[in-house]
């Protein structure tokens, strides 16, 4: 019932298709080995044994017999492959309701919606614990006798959320309940197919509570107990309470000033004290059957337990994302405010900090792997953005707690004498076989393994290598955590949208301390010789194959040198998320202009720009030297591993240059309107510009990046340069106050990239990337998403794709704004991307202009028509510029054998001109002027014409493609109807009911509108707000807010 069984069904379908083509009617299995005659004589009287055919073979035989795979056959094959244990999950209906069927309004359920639905499952789950008598679980009830403990009930309320245009997902789902003292139970519950709220309970909890009210009071220092240590020591072994600590004021907080543990306290042990119920955590659909977005509202202590004790990595990440939003403003808190002088509001981030550091919860636990700890670093940054102070200049003990945790961890692990250590991708593992056991043989227990880099003294390292029986190399994934720390630190903002000064200083230190010539190795010179001797000895002694010594038959990569460029690339790409502005005084009488204009050379972003430019020059020169020495091939294959610093540096330089222009106001001449620094009113690629005063000013020009593109270096570098050209050109049209009649920035950038696509020496990968960048420029994503930097900076497809789709901090739990803050394009949060999008918006209006009001000149609409002609011919697989005397059918273009490129360009055409290109039609109407000097001076000879043969062939082509068009239109209409089923079902239900109480369980709920909060990932917050407005959440609808204002003289006024 999961992805593995689905994969097996698809594999069976491919095998059945192949076997049917070769004439096989039934799959024959190999015969079993014949047993000896003695065994046969002994079992002669036994009945014949019928051997059951495996489910995989049964599916193949059925598919061969049917000679096709329909919806019913697919579902049956999935059930057979999943087995009886998953039968309950696959009992959904298989109805196919059409628009003409008005009697039945029941939406499709699983697996019908799973197979053919266009959306995913969204569901909110609430967890509530009460006593057996129906009252809420209180502190006295939790600490009462055993009978009261056994009577604790767990109530789970599930509410499917159906967005506007989404599909309904219903059917059986697994509910997993983890109790204290190791009790784990699973229940099969049902998700209503009508979108109604369901109650899954009650569930009896039989275990003891994790903590008690007395332990809470003792930990907070408000009890009558002598000390917190005494109360904590009286806790049971399974309660998880802190033991051996000192919670008195004289003992101080549980963490030091460096955020390290004091007195043995750990964040998980502290947060456990806030949980006075037996419940550890709850999970819905732990097997990932629905693969949907679930938000489970449970205690912070439950999320902490899930983070440290759930063996599923997906469950750990879910807990992190939820902790990043805690504590919520509407969340019920315990009666205490702190635990051992640690505020309860800080406990979620303290738990994330322990996960990041690799601190284990108990002595028998293992630390999280680097992939999980990297997610913890991003979650800490999300938490800090959610709880950020009002201004970046705010100082205090807990104002920047999340930022301090990340900085402290980075400096502790990766700093040495104020210098950032080079990154290491490998670790040398030494294994000494330990004699033991009854037979006296060797054992491979974990006690015999040792990392060489953990030994500091030379003599210790020498003896460890000498006495090692096995030497192995394993990947050191700590670089993932380091990269996530840098990204998280750079993404932290205050509520005013500005980056703290500590973050800017940290990034400067990282870029300054990076040694361009640093080459990392695992072994010292003498240690390399020692390992070489062991390799030669292993060859002479012919040791067993099970005992691993590096070489002589293996590739010796133990001391292979490497350049540590990943750290610098991550730091450079992180500069795109920095938002700083020069501080100046504004006067309301000057229309918001600064009283004393700040000079461009005083902008706080300039030090980072200088460092990025130095790294770019160094990496480009290194590429040029390498290209001359080894004569790299022209396809770009094999050079991708080098292109990490330059693409990130180009992306960061362009972003910071636009940031400097967008946040610096200069007065060009007395009496003239203010313009962005460094850009004249007529500035544009190919037009006149102001002379650059320095090297940094050149980074604000498109020609700077065009020269890098035309240098024919790695494809990643050229793609980053093209992306920057588009950003610069679009940003030049951002200021509407300049009253530029011809916003040609977007058109110029599209022409530039299309010309590079048509170059014969451009690789297919670069062509497709340029086509995607053209689409990004038209959809307002080219500057905010940083496509090239995201995919080329890390060389990890999954991590890069996640960063590109969900932003630098990843996805949220549904109610978060810490991650969406970096995806919101506005002058308040993202001034550089806002400037690019403003210019692109004006350029897109030019491309879509209907040519009726005469806003643009004739030269402009002819230029658009020429671009449309070139794009259309490229899509059709023709040459963009036809030689004289050559017809289009005799030529072959770049899209003739590249379907991916053609699809990308067709999507671009449909986005710009969904119906028709008006400029192209107007230019064709002027073909009557053909032969006149004005016709050629306007360039109309480069606009394609419709010949008589094409006009005659058009009706025949439409007639031949009519059946296919009907199928496509029917399927499009079917998908639209599938998205309308939920709203139609709700309207049908409401029309048959007089009084509807939406707060009751079992009542269908209305669909949720995809507002701005939903589109930014906050689907839980959007749903809660809309449900409260409709009065469907059990509370009163809020229509007015009463504001309480405090004054120093008057007091409190409303």
């Amino acid at each position: 019932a999961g992805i593995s069984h689905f994969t097996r069904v698809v594999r069976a379908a491919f095998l059945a298709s192949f076997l049917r083509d070769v004439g096989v009617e039934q799959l024959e299995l190999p015969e079993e080995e014949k047993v000896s005659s003695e065994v046969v004589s002994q079992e002669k009287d036994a009945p014949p044994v019928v051997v059951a055919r495996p489910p995989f073979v049964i599916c193949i035989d059925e598919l061969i017999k049917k000679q096709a795979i329909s919806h019913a056959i697919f579902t049956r094959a999935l059930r057979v492959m999943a087995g009886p244990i998953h039968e309950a999950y696959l009992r959904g209906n298989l109805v196919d309701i059409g628009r003409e069927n008005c009697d039945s309004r029941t939406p499709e359920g699983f697996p019908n919606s799973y197979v053919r639905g266009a959306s995913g499952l969204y569901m909110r789950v609430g967890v509530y614990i009460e006593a057996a008598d129906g009252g809420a679980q209180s502190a006295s009830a939790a600490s009462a006798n055993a009978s009261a403990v056994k009577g604790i009930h767990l109530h789970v309320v599930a509410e499917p959320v159906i967005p506007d245009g989404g599909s309904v997902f219903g059917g059986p789902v697994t509910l997993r309940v983890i109790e204290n003292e190791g009790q784990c139970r699973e229940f099969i519950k049902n998700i209503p197919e009508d979108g109604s709220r369901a109650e899954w309970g009650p569930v009896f909890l039989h275990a003891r509570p994790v903590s008690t009210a007395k332990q809470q009071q003792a930990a907070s220092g408000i009890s009558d107990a002598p000390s917190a240590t005494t109360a904590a020591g009286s806790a049971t072994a399974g309660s998880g309470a802190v033991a051996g600590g000192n919670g008195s004021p004289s003992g101080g907080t549980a963490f030091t000033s460096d955020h390290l543990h004091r007195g043995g306290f750990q964040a998980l042990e502290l947060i456990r004290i806030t949980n006075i119920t037996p419940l550890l955590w709850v999970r819905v659909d732990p097997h990932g059957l629905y693969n949907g977005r679930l938000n489970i509202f449970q205690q912070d202590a439950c999320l902490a337990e899930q983070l440290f004790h759930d063996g599923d990595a997906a469950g750990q990440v879910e807990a992190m994302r939820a902790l990043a939003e805690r504590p919520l403003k509407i969340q019920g808190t315990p009666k205490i405010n702190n635990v051992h002088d640690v505020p309860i509001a800080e406990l979620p981030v303290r738990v994330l900090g322990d996960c990041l550091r690799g601190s284990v919860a108990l002595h028998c636990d293992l630390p999280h792997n680097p992939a999980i700890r990297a997610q913890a670093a991003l979650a800490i940054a999300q938490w800090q953005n959610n709880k950020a102070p009002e201004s970046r200049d705010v100082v205090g003990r807990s104002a920047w707690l999340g930022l301090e945790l990340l900085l402290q961890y980075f400096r502790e692990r990766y700093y040495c004498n104020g210098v950032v250590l080079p990154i290491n991708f490998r670790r040398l593992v030494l294994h000494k076989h330990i004699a033991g056991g009854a037979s006296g043989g060797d054992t491979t227990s974990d006690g015999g393994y040792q990392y060489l880099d953990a030994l500091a003294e030379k003599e210790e390292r020498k003896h460890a290598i000498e006495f090692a029986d096995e030497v192995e190399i394993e990947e050191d994934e700590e670089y993932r955590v380091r990269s996530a720390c840098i990204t998280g630190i750079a993404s932290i903002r205050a509520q005013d949208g500005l980056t703290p000064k500590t973050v800017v200083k940290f990034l400067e230190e990282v870029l300054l301390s990076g040694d361009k010539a640093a080459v990392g190795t695992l072994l010292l010179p003498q240690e390399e010789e020692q390992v070489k001797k062991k390799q030669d000895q292993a060859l002479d002694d012919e040791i067993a194959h099970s005992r691993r010594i590096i070489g002589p038959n293996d590739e010796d990569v133990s001391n292979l040198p490497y350049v540590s460029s990943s750290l610098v690339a991550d730091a450079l790409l992180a500069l795109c998320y920095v938002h700083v502005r020069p501080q100046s005084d504004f006067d309301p009488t000057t229309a918001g202009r600064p009283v004393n204009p700040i000079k461009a050379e005083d902008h706080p972003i300039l030090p980072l720009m200088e460092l990025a430019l130095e790294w770019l020059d160094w990496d480009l020169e290194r590429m040029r030297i390498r290209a001359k020495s080894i004569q790299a091939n022209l396809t770009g294959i094999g050079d991708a591993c080098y292109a990490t610093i330059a693409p990130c540096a180009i992306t960061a330089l362009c972003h910071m240059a636009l940031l400097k222009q967008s946040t610096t106001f200069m007065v060009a001449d007395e009496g003239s309107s203010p313009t962005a620094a460094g850009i004249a009113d007529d500035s544009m690629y190919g037009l006149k510009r102001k002379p650059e005063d320095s090297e940094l000013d050149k980074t604000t020009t498109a020609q700077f990046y065009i020269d890098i593109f035309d240098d024919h270096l790695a494809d990643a570098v050229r793609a980053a340069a093209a992306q920057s050209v588009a950003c610069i050109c679009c940003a030049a049209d951002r200021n509407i106050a300049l009253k530029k009649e011809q916003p040609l920035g977007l058109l110029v950038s599209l022409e530039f990239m299309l010309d590079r696509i048509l170059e014969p020496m451009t690789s297919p990968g670069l062509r497709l990337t340029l086509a995607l960048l053209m689409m990004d420029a038209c959809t307002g994503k080219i500057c905010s998403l940083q496509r090239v930097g995201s995919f080329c900076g890390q060389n990890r497809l999954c991590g890069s794709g996640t960063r590109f789709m969900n932003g630098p901090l990843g996805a949220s739990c549904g109610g978060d704004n810490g991650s969406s803050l970096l995806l919101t394009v506005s002058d308040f949060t993202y001034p550089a991307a806002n400037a690019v999008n403003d210019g692109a918006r004006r350029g897109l209006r030019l491309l879509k202009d209907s040519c009726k009001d005469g806003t643009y000149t004739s030269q402009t609409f002819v230029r658009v028509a020429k671009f449309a002609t070139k794009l259309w011919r490229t899509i059709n697989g023709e040459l963009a510029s036809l030689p004289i005397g050559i017809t289009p059918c005799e030529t072959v273009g770049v899209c003739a054998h590249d379907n991916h490129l053609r699809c990308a360009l067709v999507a671009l055409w449909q986005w710009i001109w969904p119906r028709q290109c008006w400029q192209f039609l107007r230019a064709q109407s002027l073909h009557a002027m053909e032969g006149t000097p004005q016709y050629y001076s306007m360039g109309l000879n480069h606009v394609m014409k419709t010949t008589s043969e094409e006009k005659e062939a058009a009706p025949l082509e439409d007639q031949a493609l009519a059946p296919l068009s009907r199928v496509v239109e029917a399927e499009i209409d079917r998908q639209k109807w599938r998205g309308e089923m939920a709203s139609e079902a709700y309207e049908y239900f409401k029309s048959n009911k007089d009084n509807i109480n939406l707060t009751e369980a079992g009542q269908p709920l209305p669909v949720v509108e995809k507002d701005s909060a939903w589109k930014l990932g906050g689907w839980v917050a959007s749903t809660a707000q809309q449900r409260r407005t409709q009065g469907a959440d059990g509370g009163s609808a809020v229509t007015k807010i009463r504001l309480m204002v405090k004054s120093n003289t008057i007091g409190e006024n409303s």
Side-chain angles (χ1 to χ4, degrees):
I3 190 64
S4 58
H5 301 302
F6 171 77
T7 306
R8 293 188 182 97
V9 173
V10 175
R11 188 182 297 122
F14 275 102
L15 292 177
S17 176
F18 173 77
L19 294 175
R20 186 195 61 184
D21 293 341
V22 298
V24 177
E25 297 181 355
Q26 187 176 8
L27 186 61
E28 299 292 339
L29 297 178
E31 298 181 358
E32 296 183 358
E33 297 182 0
K34 296 182 178 181
V35 297
S36 61
S37 59
E38 298 179 357
V39 178
V40 173
S41 61
Q42 295 177 1
E43 300 180 357
K44 186 176 299 184
D45 299 334
V49 179
V50 179
V51 181
R53 295 174 70 82
F56 188 76
V57 178
I58 295 176
C59 293
I60 292 180
D61 292 342
E62 187 71 16
L63 292 173
I64 294 177
K65 180 180 178 181
K66 298 296 183 180
Q67 297 185 359
I69 178 169
S70 62
H71 194 181
I73 295 176
F74 170 79
T75 306
R76 183 174 180 272
L78 187 60
R79 290 176 178 174
V80 172
M81 202 72 70
I85 192 173
H86 295 102
E87 182 69 20
Y89 297 102
L90 300 173
R91 290 178 181 171
N93 56 47
L94 295 176
V95 296
D96 194 6
I97 307 171
R99 291 182 183 271
E100 66 281 356
N101 189 356
C102 299
D103 297 333
S104 177
R105 293 291 181 178
T106 302
E108 298 174 320
F110 187 86
N112 206 49
S113 58
Y114 182 80
V115 175
R116 298 191 289 183
S119 65
L121 170 66
Y122 293 87
M123 187 168 66
R124 298 194 301 167
V125 180
V127 177
Y128 177 71
I129 297 177
E130 66 175 2
D133 56 357
Q137 173 65 20
S138 61
S140 59
S143 59
N145 53 22
S147 61
V149 173
K150 292 182 179 179
I152 298 176
H153 292 174
L154 168 67
H155 291 271
V156 180
V157 180
E159 178 188 295
V161 179
I162 306 173
D164 187 16
S167 301
V168 179
F169 282 78
V173 67
T174 300
L175 172 65
R176 178 180 295 174
V177 178
I178 310 295
E179 297 183 50
N180 193 19
E181 300 173 344
Q183 298 187 26
C184 175
R185 289 181 289 170
E186 288 190 354
F187 307 90
I188 303 299
K189 301 297 181 180
N190 186 68
I191 302 176
E193 296 177 358
D194 56 358
S196 61
R197 190 181 292 115
E199 292 185 0
W200 296 342
V203 177
F204 290 93
L205 303 180
H206 305 287
R208 294 179 179 272
V210 177
S211 182
T212 63
K214 290 184 178 180
Q215 293 172 358
Q216 281 190 356
Q217 294 175 359
S220 62
I222 60 176
S223 68
D224 297 333
S227 64
T229 305
T230 305
S234 63
T236 58
S239 65
V242 179
N246 186 6
S248 61
S250 60
T253 180
F255 297 93
T256 64
S257 58
D258 294 332
H259 305 288
L260 303 178
H261 300 134
R262 172 184 291 169
F265 289 103
Q266 290 184 336
L268 179 60
E269 297 173 308
L270 298 179
I271 203 171
R272 276 177 176 171
I273 300 178
T274 64
N275 185 10
I276 57 175
T277 68
L279 180 66
L280 291 188
W281 72 85
V282 171
R283 286 196 67 187
V284 178
D285 192 24
H287 308 295
L289 175 65
Y290 288 89
N291 194 26
R293 299 187 179 184
L294 308 176
N295 182 274
I296 304 177
F297 188 88
Q298 51 187 334
Q299 301 181 61
D300 297 349
C302 297
L303 298 174
E305 295 281 0
Q306 180 180 349
L307 172 59
F308 277 92
H309 293 144
D310 194 343
D312 186 11
Q316 296 174 8
V317 175
E318 291 174 3
M320 285 183 197
R321 297 304 182 192
L323 285 172
E325 302 175 3
R326 301 302 178 93
L328 302 176
K329 294 182 179 180
I330 61 173
Q331 178 180 348
T333 58
K335 295 182 179 180
I336 58 177
N337 296 324
N338 59 79
V339 178
H340 293 286
D341 294 336
V342 178
I344 292 181
E346 296 181 4
L347 290 179
V349 75
R350 294 288 186 181
V351 172
L352 294 174
D354 281 0
C355 177
L356 172 63
R357 298 176 59 87
S359 300
V360 295
L362 299 173
H363 295 291
C364 59
D365 293 343
L366 294 176
H368 293 86
N369 61 63
I372 299 298
R373 290 165 51 218
Q375 294 297 320
L378 301 180
I380 291 175
Q382 282 193 30
W383 184 93
Q384 181 62 78
N385 285 342
N386 289 327
K387 309 299 184 295
E390 297 179 355
S391 172
R392 64 173 180 177
D393 299 322
V394 173
V395 294
R397 179 191 172 194
S398 59
W400 300 103
L401 179 58
L403 176 59
E404 292 174 0
L405 287 173
L406 292 175
L407 292 174
Q408 173 65 24
Y409 172 78
F410 193 91
R411 288 168 178 156
E412 176 188 341
R413 299 294 179 93
Y414 309 118
Y415 265 70
C416 182
N417 297 327
V419 178
V420 180
L421 298 175
I423 198 169
N424 196 357
F425 298 97
R426 303 159 299 175
R427 301 187 76 178
L428 207 63
V429 184
L430 307 177
H431 183 206
K432 177 65 178 179
H433 290 183
I434 302 176
S439 60
D442 292 344
T443 178
T444 57
S445 63
D446 293 339
Y449 287 97
Q450 191 176 28
Y451 288 108
L452 184 62
D453 54 18
L455 304 177
E457 301 294 334
K458 291 185 178 180
E459 292 297 328
E460 291 181 350
R461 296 168 63 95
K462 178 180 178 181
H463 290 303
I465 296 176
E466 181 179 356
F467 291 103
D469 294 321
E470 296 181 9
V471 181
E472 300 177 358
I473 293 179
E474 69 176 29
E475 180 185 6
D476 184 11
E477 296 186 355
E478 282 296 318
Y479 66 88
R480 299 176 183 267
V481 186
R482 178 187 294 209
S483 173
C485 283
I486 294 177
T487 303
I489 292 173
S491 302
I492 291 177
R493 302 274 188 89
Q495 291 186 14
D496 57 3
L498 297 179
T499 301
K501 298 179 180 179
T502 307
V503 174
V504 179
K505 183 179 179 181
F506 166 78
L507 295 175
E508 291 181 9
E509 292 177 357
V510 173
L511 294 176
L512 281 173
S513 60
D515 189 0
K516 301 181 178 65
V519 178
T521 57
L522 293 180
L523 299 173
L524 299 175
Q526 60 272 20
E527 295 173 351
E528 185 178 1
E529 297 178 0
Q530 189 177 3
V531 173
K532 182 64 177 176
K533 291 180 180 179
K534 293 185 72 67
Q535 295 173 358
D536 298 337
Q537 183 180 0
L539 181 61
D540 297 337
D541 297 344
E542 296 181 356
I543 63 174
H545 180 70
S546 60
R547 296 179 60 181
R548 296 275 301 170
I549 298 291
I550 298 178
N553 300 321
D554 303 329
E555 292 292 336
D556 186 7
V557 295
S558 59
N559 214 34
L560 187 67
Y562 59 91
V563 178
S564 177
S565 59
S566 176
L567 173 66
V568 178
D570 293 332
L572 288 171
L573 186 58
L575 298 180
C576 297
Y577 311 114
V578 174
H579 180 199
V580 292
R581 294 174 181 261
Q583 295 183 353
S584 58
D585 298 329
F586 287 84
D587 188 357
T589 60
T590 59
R593 302 178 193 174
V595 178
N596 298 318
I598 301 298
K599 297 181 179 180
E601 56 269 17
D602 296 335
H603 201 285
I605 201 65
L606 289 180
L608 295 176
M609 292 183 63
E610 294 174 354
L611 291 172
L613 184 59
E614 291 178 3
W615 279 105
L616 175 61
D617 294 338
W618 172 79
D619 199 39
L620 292 180
E621 185 62 24
R622 191 169 61 123
M623 288 184 179
R624 296 186 186 101
I625 296 174
R626 187 188 308 115
K628 293 180 181 178
S629 59
I630 64 177
Q631 293 296 321
N633 51 55
L634 299 179
T635 61
I637 299 176
D639 199 34
C641 59
Y642 299 106
T644 55
I645 292 181
C648 297
I650 293 173
T651 305
L653 265 179
C654 176
H655 177 274
M656 290 187 291
L658 294 176
L659 175 65
K660 183 173 75 72
Q661 289 182 344
S662 303
T663 56
T664 304
F665 295 89
M666 296 181 64
V667 180
D669 294 317
E670 186 175 356
S672 62
S673 60
T675 62
I679 292 187
D681 291 356
D682 57 350
S683 62
M684 180 55 58
Y685 158 61
L687 300 179
K688 183 179 179 181
R689 279 188 171 274
K690 287 185 176 181
E692 295 79 15
D693 298 331
S694 63
E695 291 294 328
L696 291 180
D697 291 336
K698 295 181 180 179
T699 60
T700 62
T701 64
Q703 190 61 43
F704 174 80
Y705 303 101
I706 293 175
D707 295 339
I708 296 177
F709 187 96
D710 294 336
D711 207 1
H712 296 284
L713 297 173
D715 285 352
V717 179
R718 303 183 70 191
Q723 177 179 272
S724 301
V725 169
C727 292
I728 294 295
C729 291
C730 292
D733 294 329
R734 69 187 183 276
N735 199 344
I736 303 179
L738 298 179
K739 298 181 180 180
K740 296 175 58 176
E741 298 180 358
Q742 311 297 326
L744 300 175
L746 178 62
L747 177 60
V748 169
S749 62
L750 295 180
E751 290 175 342
F752 168 79
M753 287 186 278
L754 183 59
D755 291 340
R756 269 50 180 186
I757 289 175
L758 299 176
E759 289 183 355
M761 303 305 295
T762 305
S763 65
L766 180 58
R767 284 174 177 161
L768 181 59
T769 303
L770 293 177
L772 295 176
L773 291 176
M774 294 170 69
M775 190 67 179
D776 289 345
C778 294
T779 54
K781 302 176 182 177
I782 192 166
C783 186
S784 58
L785 296 185
Q786 298 109 19
R787 176 186 296 271
V788 180
S790 298
F791 283 98
C792 299
Q794 299 180 352
N795 284 332
R796 297 195 304 270
L797 182 59
C798 294
S800 301
T802 303
R803 184 172 188 163
F804 176 73
M805 297 299 297
N806 300 316
L809 299 183
S812 67
C813 192
D816 170 60
N817 60 359
S819 180
S820 61
L821 175 68
L822 303 171
L823 297 177
T824 305
V825 178
S826 65
D827 186 64
F828 175 75
T829 58
Y830 223 143
N834 184 65
V836 174
N837 288 354
D838 286 345
R841 207 174 289 115
R842 298 188 65 200
L844 199 60
R845 285 197 292 265
L846 181 146
L847 296 176
K848 293 176 176 288
D849 184 66
S850 59
C851 304
K852 295 180 179 180
D853 52 0
T855 305
Y856 305 106
T857 61
S858 57
Q859 290 81 3
T860 300
F861 79 78
V862 171
R863 186 172 180 177
V864 174
K866 290 165 60 177
F867 169 74
T869 299
K870 187 180 295 185
L871 180 61
W872 183 260
R873 286 175 175 171
T874 304
I875 293 173
N876 289 335
E878 307 170 3
L879 288 180
S881 300
L882 297 178
I884 299 177
I886 301 297
T887 59
C889 59
E890 299 177 359
T891 60
V892 177
V894 295
C895 286
H897 306 287
D898 194 340
N899 293 330
H900 294 87
L901 178 61
R902 176 177 295 177
C903 292
L905 294 179
V906 168
L908 175 66
W909 180 280
Q910 290 293 329
W911 179 261
I912 300 177
W913 302 293
R915 295 185 178 275
Q916 53 191 353
C917 178
W918 295 101
Q919 293 90 339
F920 178 75
L921 295 178
R922 182 178 178 184
Q924 281 191 332
S925 65
L926 299 179
H927 282 310
M929 301 169 51
E930 187 174 2
T932 63
Q934 187 180 3
Y935 179 83
Y936 296 100
S937 63
M938 295 177 61
L940 293 173
N941 56 322
H942 297 291
V943 179
M944 64 180 180
K945 298 179 291 185
T946 304
T947 61
S948 57
E949 293 82 1
E950 292 175 344
K951 292 181 180 180
E952 295 175 357
L956 299 177
E957 292 180 357
D958 294 340
Q959 183 179 1
L961 296 177
L964 180 61
S965 299
R966 287 194 296 268
V967 172
V968 174
E969 292 174 358
E971 185 60 28
I972 292 175
D973 181 72
R974 175 62 188 157
Q975 290 294 339
K976 290 181 179 179
W977 167 239
R978 191 170 285 120
E980 297 171 359
M981 278 186 183
S983 59
E984 290 289 335
Y986 176 74
E987 295 296 334
Y988 180 79
F989 165 79
K990 190 170 64 173
S991 62
N992 296 330
K993 296 288 184 179
D994 296 333
N995 297 322
I996 300 178
N997 187 3
L998 298 179
T999 61
E1000 296 180 358
Q1003 300 290 338
L1005 299 175
V1007 297
V1008 177
E1009 181 184 356
K1010 291 184 178 180
D1011 54 8
S1012 57
W1014 182 289
K1015 295 177 181 179
L1016 290 174
W1019 64 274
V1020 174
S1022 174
T1023 303
Q1025 180 66 26
Q1026 296 184 46
R1027 291 281 191 258
R1028 175 57 61 91
T1029 303
Q1030 299 165 354
D1033 63 344
S1036 59
V1038 178
T1039 58
K1040 295 182 180 180
I1041 299 177
R1042 192 176 185 184
L1043 180 63
M1044 306 298 294
V1045 181
K1046 286 187 177 182
S1047 175
N1048 294 332
T1049 57
I1050 302 177
E1052 217 180 66
N1053 297 325
S1054 59

